[in-house]
Amino acid sequence: VKRSCITSPSGFPTMVAKTVAVLAGDGIGPEVMSEAMKVLKKIAELYGHDFTFDEANIGGAAWAAAEAAGKPPSHFPTETCTTCEKSDAILFGSVGGPVDQQHEPRWKDCEKNALLGLRKRFGLGTNLRPSKVYPFLSHLCPLKPSVIGAGVDMLIIRELVGGIYFGEHKREGDKAWDIMEYDVARIKKPVIFAFEAARLRNKKVCVVDKANVLETSRLWREVAREVAKDFPDVALEFMYVDNAAMQIIQKPSYFDVIATENMFGDILSDAASVLPGSLGLMPSASLGDGLHMYEPSGGSAPDIAGQGKANPIAQILSGAMMLRYSFNLEAEAAAIETAVEQTLQAGILTADLLEEANRGSARSTSEIGDAVIAALKGP
């Protein structure tokens, strides 16, 4: 485990000391993680915080490291788990190898073992996926300018460990069934978080369900109405999932925070993820019982790994989400988001954000990180 520590200058009354488990992983993971850490170190310097970064292996990188050391290989080693247990948050890169090598032990079930291992160990039961269309990159959005003219900035909060995916799955003869099941406690966590998140945003929560058909959806509504009593400043509304799917395409500007169950959230967050125009702009978070994990929405992209072509913005914005939701550092998170926006607006872009004819002017992974740091403002 490598450790690096940023010590705060004296004289800052609100110094925060936190330890971050850094799991860069495979493919482009290490190079985009390097930029995110650069940005977080600059934030520590500007705002007088003390961030310790504990780096540990995950996925194929963990498997290869164990083999090289003559140890039994694993995609989620015990020492990595221990590093996470001792930390205040997990910053995760990506795992997985080339498609034509999936049969090799290093890559077989790599994503499943690493991600489900983390999810299970730390109870990562609530998923957050923001979807934001930057006005100056609106040409990358598949929707017409008239549809996205009012701006798109939504946060989808999905319950991750319940519902039909985790119910009983059974087949008997020519009949099959899958059970969708929820209890109040499992619903309450993502719903409370949705209200808390909305307070930091535009104070609107939309619970998406199918309450005209499903009893579980009617329970979601009951829980949401109960939770809403503690958040009188936040507006609550309900929308059927079929209508929500249409509105995300027809009127995406309408939404602020969406809260929903596992399968509906899986589908809606994927639909919303195409709106920004590149997965390289999409951070995400998985919230646990005491520890949260932050990661880009895209994969390990082994085809461009090590070439300096990867877009680090999603990883950098995942770091901003960590500051906001794990460390309660709203000003610092906003500072990163503003710096990212200024960088993109200045036309400092990786190839995935450029039309094919303009890709000759694409900037490298590290140039994007440097530009974000140059744009960062302190308190």
Side-chain angles (χ1 to χ4, degrees):
V1 172
K2 292 186 283 178
R3 292 174 72 89
S4 56
C5 188
I6 302 302
T7 307
S8 65
S10 58
F12 283 90
T14 54
M15 192 275 275
V16 167
K18 298 288 182 184
T19 299
V20 180
V22 177
L23 314 183
D26 307 317
I28 61 170
E31 55 201 290
V32 295
M33 185 65 80
S34 173
E35 301 313 306
M37 286 171 65
K38 267 177 15 186
V39 171
L40 289 167
K41 287 172 182 179
K42 186 66 179 176
I43 282 286
E45 183 188 311
L46 288 171
Y47 285 82
H49 300 311
D50 189 334
F51 297 152
T52 300
F53 298 95
D54 279 5
E55 300 183 51
N57 287 316
I58 192 81
W63 189 280
E67 279 190 328
K71 295 179 183 175
S74 163
H75 292 123
F76 180 34
T78 307
E79 53 267 36
T80 298
C81 187
T82 304
T83 297
C84 294
E85 286 167 353
K86 292 177 179 172
S87 71
D88 298 298
I90 302 168
L91 196 56
F92 184 94
S94 54
V95 289
V99 176
D100 60 356
Q101 295 174 27
Q102 292 305 305
H103 60 284
E104 296 178 12
R106 177 179 176 180
W107 301 121
K108 193 174 188 306
D109 295 330
C110 172
E111 289 180 61
K112 182 174 136 190
N113 294 339
L115 289 169
L116 290 186
L118 282 160
R119 209 176 273 181
K120 191 173 176 186
R121 171 61 190 86
F122 298 107
L124 304 175
T126 302
N127 180 253
L128 272 61
R129 287 200 31 201
S131 180
K132 181 172 182 173
V133 176
Y134 295 99
F136 42 85
L137 294 178
S138 59
H139 60 281
L140 297 173
C141 178
L143 302 181
K144 292 186 291 190
S146 58
V147 173
I148 58 170
V152 176
D153 186 1
M154 72 180 87
L155 178 64
I156 298 179
I157 295 173
R158 166 191 170 194
E159 195 285 321
L160 209 53
V161 290
I164 203 163
Y165 291 172
F166 287 85
E168 183 191 24
H169 308 290
K170 203 163 180 184
R171 183 184 288 201
E172 278 182 10
D174 58 359
K175 181 175 149 190
W177 61 89
D178 303 280
I179 306 295
M180 179 186 275
E181 191 177 316
Y182 271 105
D183 59 31
V184 169
R186 182 146 280 163
I187 296 168
K188 219 168 185 178
K189 275 186 189 174
V191 170
I192 288 172
F193 189 82
F195 277 90
E196 289 173 344
R199 266 193 173 156
L200 296 172
R201 295 168 51 93
N202 293 320
K203 297 184 167 58
K204 267 173 44 180
V205 170
C206 178
V207 171
V208 171
D209 59 38
K210 195 66 178 161
N212 54 338
V213 179
L214 300 176
E215 195 58 42
T216 50
S217 286
R218 292 192 266 275
L219 183 60
W220 270 79
R221 290 198 174 197
E222 283 174 30
V223 172
R225 287 193 185 101
E226 197 57 38
V227 169
K229 293 174 184 174
D230 294 329
F231 296 86
D233 53 325
V234 177
L236 168 66
E237 68 162 342
F238 301 99
M239 190 179 288
Y240 295 148
V241 65
D242 40 359
N243 185 26
M246 289 190 290
Q247 298 307 328
I248 279 176
I249 305 306
Q250 286 187 318
K251 293 180 187 169
S253 308
Y254 178 80
F255 296 103
D256 180 26
V257 176
I258 292 174
T260 190
E261 65 87 49
N262 201 345
M263 181 169 65
F264 298 161
D266 186 11
I267 296 163
L268 294 179
S269 61
D270 274 1
S273 75
V274 302
L275 300 183
S278 170
L279 280 176
L281 297 171
M282 295 278 296
S284 77
S286 296
L287 308 182
D289 298 327
L291 193 66
H292 306 333
M293 183 170 88
Y294 303 86
E295 60 177 310
S297 294
S300 60
D303 55 318
I304 60 163
Q307 299 172 36
K309 293 179 181 176
N311 186 344
I313 295 295
Q315 190 78 62
I316 291 168
L317 290 175
S318 296
M321 288 181 83
M322 177 182 77
L323 297 182
R324 173 173 291 121
Y325 297 122
S326 279
F327 302 163
N328 206 22
L329 297 174
E330 176 59 33
E332 291 83 338
I336 292 176
E337 289 159 352
T338 301
V340 162
E341 196 155 336
Q342 288 173 353
T343 299
L344 297 174
Q345 193 162 11
I348 301 169
L349 308 170
T350 42
D352 58 306
L353 303 178
L354 291 165
E355 314 233 0
E356 200 129 352
N358 301 326
R359 286 188 179 163
S361 64
R363 302 298 184 93
S364 71
T365 309
S366 61
E367 283 175 321
I368 300 291
D370 292 341
V372 171
I373 286 168
L376 274 176
K377 303 277 190 300

